[in-house]
Amino acid sequence: MKEILNFINGEFIGSASGKTFENRNPVDNSLIGMVSEAGAVEVDKAVAAARAALHGPWGKLSVNERVNMLDAVAGEINRRFDDFLQAEVADTGKPIHLASHVDIPRGAANFKIFADTIKNAATESFSMTTPDGRTALSYAVRVPRGVIAVVCPWNLPLLLMTWKVGPALACGNTVVVKPSEETPSTATLLGEVMNKVGVPPGVYNVVHGFGPNSAGAFLTSHQGVNGITFTGETRTGTAIMKAGAEGIRPVSLELGGKNAAFVFADCDFGVAVDTVTRSVFENCGQVCLGTERVYVERPIFERFVAALKEKAEGMKPGRPADPDTKIGPLVSQEHRQKVLSYYRKAVEEGATVVTGGGIPDMPGELSAGAWVQPTIWTGLPETAAVVREEIFGPCCHIQPFDTEEEAIRMGNDTPYGLATSIYTQDLSRASRMAQRIEVGLCWINSWFLRDLRTAFGGSKQSGIGREGGVHSLEFYTELRNVMTKF
Ligand code: NAD
Ligand code: 6OD
């Protein structure tokens, strides 16, 4: 039986309590292995190791030496590409072609981009004349914040974890990572990479477990942690922000969304249909940036609904390695229960089910997996639960609109503010909409197209702070001003 251990101070260790939990493959519910659950003792050890490492060889590296080490981490992830791929696919069930094009390459790229960023980041300086006629020169230096707690979700495990570990290490911090209990494998594998390329013990640590009363809560409430970076549900973000308040520790929060797409009658219809298909169904709808509300200008409403229906019905579920597979399962049976409860609620609320709404027939052992059908609804009021609440499944509600003003009003009528996408060939209109839709991320005639130098994050209840490029430096460093009088 495979054992997935904590990684603390450069060593793989079990927990003193001997507590373990199951890691299951959502494709067929088979057991991948047993995960060692960190208790307060292991979290304490990990934070102590991370603190000690700040003052050891890691803290003495020049920026160039650190950058070279992070480049080596990226190189080693790429060298062990298949190991990461197999581990990620087993934990999530996602198609291999998706993980091999998105999750694993971005896992490596996240170290490279922030190595480049820190090498080239400038800080401000000012000169002024003092009242006694001399000169005062101020300059800012960036210093690491210290020990960073990194708490991660399960939907893009390696990508989202390295999105935070990359900049944290580039800035000279040390980290304690708490991966999702659903997807513990790639964070653990990264420990092997760190050892291989000579990252000093204690710089990168991993503790496994759950949230409340487990590793997540022990870590975020630990007063040895200097900053908490979190990706996950808005409700969990609230708990994490409260934990950060004790000891005045800063938090960076990338949270949930209920993202809208706007499709105007003058769009390139093929681009709009193909891209909305991706934004609704990719990763089985488990992408924070994904679309769950689609607003379509009335003249093309029926045609668009029919085209998206055809795409949804063409999404063949299957094994990750099968090249014909277009959609994997949800991450777990528990998440499937949640998504199916929304499928039922949509019907109770009077939706027209355009397609899907249930569980697909899967052959043999796949029938035990966490599969759901890609689903489209129409005909619901904007007050319906499936139009307001984040479902995080392969589903959307499509609503017609008549005017730009009406589309903006419906789009903004949500407590969330993560992402949107706008489909039109009228770039004046697109720019106007981009100014008025209340989100952190806006795509025009595209979706999830990433330039890692740009600011990434959500507004309203979708998050606090921005990461990406130099914006990550704001969270992962303290800016210290030095003034010299001469
Ligand atoms: P989640 O909030 O349930 O869990 C995320 C992590 O937090 C897990 O590691 C979990 O163990 C831990 N956790 C839970 N409760 C905790 C607590 N009280 N204290 C400390 N840690 C705790 O989220 P999830 O279900 O893993 O992920 C899906 C959610 O993540 C969706 O809402 C999605 O929109 C969001 N998400 C947002 C972004 C973004 O960039 N904005 C990206 C990906 C996912
Ligand atoms: O691309 C990224 O950097 C990023 N953080 C993506 C988030 C996707 C959410 O599921």
Side-chain angles (χ1 to χ4, degrees):
M1 172 68 56
K2 188 172 167 197
E3 264 191 309
I4 300 167
L5 298 172
N6 303 293
F7 181 70
I8 299 176
N9 207 23
E11 287 177 13
F12 291 94
I13 62 165
S15 57
S17 68
K19 270 168 94 173
T20 57
F21 59 93
E22 290 180 342
N23 180 26
R24 288 192 175 268
N25 185 331
V27 165
D28 55 8
N29 207 29
S30 59
L31 191 60
I32 297 170
M34 297 304 292
V35 188
S36 175
E37 183 179 348
V41 174
E42 287 74 35
V43 170
D44 231 12
K45 271 190 190 158
V47 174
R51 172 121 344 254
L54 283 171
H55 306 295
W58 175 249
K60 298 183 179 62
L61 294 183
S62 68
V63 171
N64 267 345
E65 288 168 326
R66 220 159 59 217
V67 159
N68 290 341
M69 214 166 247
L70 297 186
D71 281 341
V73 170
E76 184 64 10
I77 293 175
N78 282 328
R79 196 185 69 75
R80 295 193 59 185
F81 195 94
D82 274 345
D83 296 340
F84 278 95
L85 187 61
Q86 294 310 329
E88 201 76 312
V89 165
D91 279 3
T92 59
K94 62 179 80 190
I96 278 195
H97 64 81
L98 181 63
S100 61
H101 282 95
V102 179
D103 301 64
I104 312 305
R106 267 295 302 281
N110 286 340
F111 285 98
K112 276 208 167 299
I113 175 78
F114 290 108
D116 287 349
T117 305
I118 198 70
K119 219 165 38 182
N120 297 309
T123 52
E124 63 189 21
S125 83
F126 292 102
S127 166
M128 70 176 194
T129 305
T130 60
D132 59 358
R134 294 167 68 190
T135 300
L137 177 67
S138 297
Y139 62 89
V141 287
R142 288 196 178 279
V143 295
R145 196 174 276 290
V147 177
I148 306 290
V150 182
V151 183
C152 307
W154 43 256
N155 59 323
L156 301 160
L158 183 70
L159 187 160
L160 291 173
M161 188 255 298
T162 53
W163 176 241
K164 291 166 177 303
V165 171
L169 298 191
C171 293
N173 301 285
T174 58
V175 297
V176 181
V177 174
K178 211 299 275 171
S180 168
E181 52 275 33
E182 304 289 355
T183 53
S185 300
T186 46
T188 311
L189 203 48
L190 192 59
E192 293 180 18
V193 167
M194 296 289 173
N195 281 350
K196 175 77 193 291
V197 306
V199 171
V203 171
Y204 174 82
N205 305 277
V206 180
V207 289
H208 292 297
F210 304 84
N213 204 24
S214 182
F218 298 150
L219 177 60
T220 51
S221 61
H222 199 295
Q223 293 302 305
V225 164
N226 303 106
I228 308 165
T229 180
F230 169 73
T231 304
E233 280 188 24
T234 295
R235 206 183 28 221
T236 314
T238 310
I240 293 214
M241 205 168 163
K242 285 183 185 158
E246 196 64 49
I248 316 294
R249 282 102 34 82
V251 292
S252 174
L253 302 178
E254 295 186 343
L255 307 177
K258 187 72 185 176
N259 309 308
F262 301 92
V263 183
F264 285 88
D266 70 348
C267 68
D268 179 324
F269 192 79
V271 167
V273 170
D274 287 350
T275 315
V276 173
T277 301
R278 280 184 51 231
S279 73
V280 175
F281 302 119
E282 193 161 278
N283 208 35
C284 201
Q286 303 165 116
V287 180
C288 61
L289 312 163
T291 305
E292 291 191 357
R293 297 181 294 150
V294 186
Y295 296 99
V296 181
E297 206 170 7
R298 199 171 302 271
I300 61 164
F301 178 75
E302 299 296 343
R303 185 174 161 222
F304 186 89
V305 171
L308 202 68
K309 173 181 191 292
E310 191 181 330
K311 291 285 187 186
E313 290 172 356
M315 309 238 28
K316 186 178 170 297
R319 289 191 180 280
D322 183 340
D324 291 337
T325 295
K326 295 279 184 293
I327 191 166
L330 292 168
V331 75
S332 64
Q333 295 294 335
E334 190 188 345
H335 189 49
R336 179 163 81 159
Q337 287 316 315
K338 175 184 162 185
V339 172
L340 288 175
S341 76
Y342 278 105
Y343 282 16
R344 285 191 295 274
K345 201 174 274 186
V347 174
E348 284 158 23
E349 288 183 313
T352 299
V353 181
V354 175
T355 187
I359 297 173
D361 276 337
M362 300 300 290
E365 64 269 28
L366 297 193
S367 63
W371 307 92
V372 290
Q373 288 175 326
T375 295
I376 300 173
W377 304 289
T378 56
L380 284 171
E382 288 293 289
T383 49
V386 301
V387 182
R388 297 204 65 77
E389 296 168 20
E390 184 187 49
I391 302 171
F392 224 52
C395 53
C396 68
H397 179 253
I398 316 185
Q399 182 82 282
F401 68 87
D402 294 299
T403 66
E404 192 177 310
E405 208 50 44
E406 184 193 13
I408 291 171
R409 185 181 48 71
M410 290 193 289
N412 283 340
D413 184 15
T414 167
Y416 293 109
L418 186 54
T420 192
S421 46
I422 300 164
Y423 300 89
T424 172
Q425 302 209 47
D426 177 349
L427 286 187
S428 303
R429 177 181 16 226
S431 309
R432 249 186 345 258
M433 295 274 296
Q435 297 287 319
R436 294 189 56 200
I437 299 295
E438 297 160 355
V439 290
L441 299 154
C442 175
W443 279 281
I444 295 170
N445 298 323
S446 57
W447 175 75
F448 206 168
L449 181 59
R450 298 281 288 114
D451 179 331
L452 304 187
R453 296 167 300 183
T454 59
F456 182 98
S459 59
K460 296 160 81 174
Q461 291 187 27
S462 290
I464 292 184
R466 293 291 179 272
E467 298 197 19
V470 294
H471 308 283
S472 290
L473 308 187
E474 299 307 319
F475 182 74
Y476 295 107
T477 60
E478 289 278 7
L479 206 52
R480 177 178 300 152
N481 190 65
V482 182
M483 182 181 270
T484 316
K485 185 176 174 188
F486 57 91

